[in-house]
Amino acid sequence: MSKFVHLHLHTEYSLLDGAARIDKLVKILKEREAPACAITDHGNMYGTVKFFEKCKANGIKPIIGTEFYVADNYKDKTGKFDYAHITILAKNDEGYKNLCKLNSIAWIDGFYYKPRIDYNLLREHSKGLICLSGCLRGDVQQLLLQGFDEEAEKMAITLRDMFDKGDFYIEVMDHGLSEQKQILDKQFKLAEKIGVKTVATNDVHYLYQEDAEVQDIMMCISMGKTIDDPDRMRMQCNEFYLKTEEEMRQIFSAHQEAIDNTLEVAEKCNFEFDFKSSF
Ligand SMILES: [Zn+2]
Ligand SMILES: [Zn+2]
């Protein structure tokens, strides 16, 4: 049994921002004896039922989550539209209901370029949820990157106190990007200072390294750009694939706890769809 769980993963349902097809994904996870896997599509939960059923049928524990877009005020539909990211996972029934509520509010009331929530809304619906601090676009990471270490600490404490004890984790990623290298040390120190654990993710957008090109083309389609447009947004590297436990352990060789903690998170997440009573 593998001792690493992917807790941040985009499937084909991250509309034009994820190329990991659920059927193939589950097949690979089974081959690798993954005990569990999360689905955290961007601002939607379209893929959850299919993902849940496929995982269950193959003896893998499915973890349902969302990578949310966070605005200062989700009702404010003016101004900038580069939102913070945050990774949220459901622990139980209550958490799943909150996840659904947050998603529906994000679409119905919070939509402005993207479906958005804000931290107050998240606080109101935080029961039963686990929070990971997110990718480089997460507020804790952005503040660290900009050198606002005190503000980053305050932000992390706010998030820590928003969820049940021990259910907020500093999410660490290393795709070899210089911005990540700049903050990784700070992230580990911050976690220790405020008494929270770290968890390693790979922000999976596709299954194999060579699929990076497909991802790139999909991003062009979604933004209406062509492949040779020099100004277009693109993934900065080809490391966002479904890495193995060995690969992840090697990347975080000095911080094996961040790998081990993925199992702890997976053990806490026990939400199950009850198809008999819900349909
Ligand atoms: Zn992100
Ligand atoms: Zn992501």
Side-chain angles (χ1 to χ4, degrees):
M1 193 70 84
S2 163
K3 289 201 157 47
F4 168 73
V5 174
H6 280 285
L7 297 173
H8 186 148
L9 179 146
H10 301 275
T11 69
E12 60 203 288
Y13 291 92
S14 272
L15 310 173
L16 294 169
D17 188 27
R21 299 195 69 89
I22 289 175
D23 289 334
K24 189 83 210 231
L25 162 71
V26 172
K27 193 167 171 274
I28 302 172
L29 290 171
K30 194 180 181 186
E31 281 163 12
R32 292 187 191 164
E33 298 186 13
C37 183
I39 179 172
T40 57
D41 280 320
H42 262 307
N44 83 75
M45 298 174 69
Y46 301 130
T48 50
V49 172
K50 181 175 178 187
F51 176 77
F52 184 91
E53 287 181 323
K54 286 274 165 197
C55 283
K56 281 303 234 187
N58 287 282
I60 299 156
K61 183 201 263 191
I63 301 169
I64 309 298
T66 300
E67 180 173 11
F68 282 105
Y69 297 106
V70 190
D72 294 339
N73 172 358
Y74 75 95
K75 288 181 182 154
D76 178 15
K77 297 180 181 177
T78 56
K80 63 161 190 154
F81 44 87
D82 52 333
Y83 306 114
H85 294 191
I86 200 158
T87 319
I88 304 289
L89 306 171
K91 276 200 297 186
N92 48 32
D93 281 344
E94 192 180 17
Y96 178 73
K97 280 188 193 129
N98 278 327
L99 201 63
C100 292
K101 227 175 259 170
L102 287 165
N103 266 297
S104 84
I105 296 171
W107 281 96
I108 295 165
D109 304 317
F111 196 90
Y112 179 63
Y113 294 93
K114 304 271 187 197
R116 313 164 310 159
I117 58 166
D118 63 29
Y119 290 120
N120 286 330
L121 192 69
L122 185 57
R123 185 181 289 109
E124 282 167 35
H125 300 284
S126 61
K127 278 275 161 240
L129 296 175
I130 286 181
C131 175
L132 317 183
S133 65
C135 61
L136 264 179
R137 302 276 299 276
D139 275 330
V140 175
Q141 288 72 243
Q142 273 302 313
L143 289 165
L144 287 176
L145 192 60
Q146 290 161 23
F148 299 120
D149 295 10
E150 264 173 50
E151 283 77 3
E153 186 180 324
K154 274 189 206 141
M155 182 77 237
I157 288 172
T158 301
L159 288 167
R160 179 194 70 189
D161 296 344
M162 207 181 280
F163 297 89
D164 286 348
K165 198 170 182 335
D167 285 347
F168 168 66
Y169 294 79
I170 295 284
E171 185 170 355
V172 290
M173 292 185 185
D174 188 354
H175 300 100
L177 302 174
S178 63
E179 291 103 322
Q180 291 170 334
K181 300 273 181 220
Q182 275 178 55
I183 61 166
L184 271 166
D185 259 0
K186 287 190 191 182
Q187 282 187 292
F188 284 108
K189 285 192 185 119
L190 171 58
E192 206 183 326
K193 189 169 176 198
I194 66 164
V196 303
K197 292 183 177 176
T198 55
V199 74
T201 70
N202 200 49
D203 201 357
V204 177
H205 278 74
Y206 37 85
L207 299 175
Y208 299 106
Q209 193 154 30
E210 54 270 28
D211 295 337
E213 208 178 319
V214 178
Q215 171 73 18
D216 206 31
I217 292 167
M218 287 209 307
M219 283 179 76
C220 286
I221 299 170
S222 78
M223 290 177 296
K225 304 269 187 188
T226 58
I227 280 282
D228 23 62
D229 186 330
D231 301 322
R232 72 186 172 85
M233 192 172 99
R234 56 167 78 211
M235 300 281 259
Q236 293 149 293
C237 64
N238 59 358
E239 298 292 326
F240 294 79
Y241 63 96
L242 193 76
K243 290 189 177 158
T244 62
E245 178 190 354
E246 292 66 36
E247 287 173 300
M248 292 302 289
R249 286 198 181 274
Q250 199 167 3
I251 293 166
F252 289 98
S253 55
H255 290 283
Q256 295 294 299
E257 74 282 3
I259 304 294
D260 298 335
N261 290 341
T262 63
L263 287 179
E264 177 184 289
V265 173
E267 270 157 31
K268 286 183 189 175
C269 294
N270 292 298
F271 166 73
E272 300 251 347
F273 278 113
D274 180 0
F275 293 112
K276 279 179 220 101
S277 66
S278 354
F279 295 100

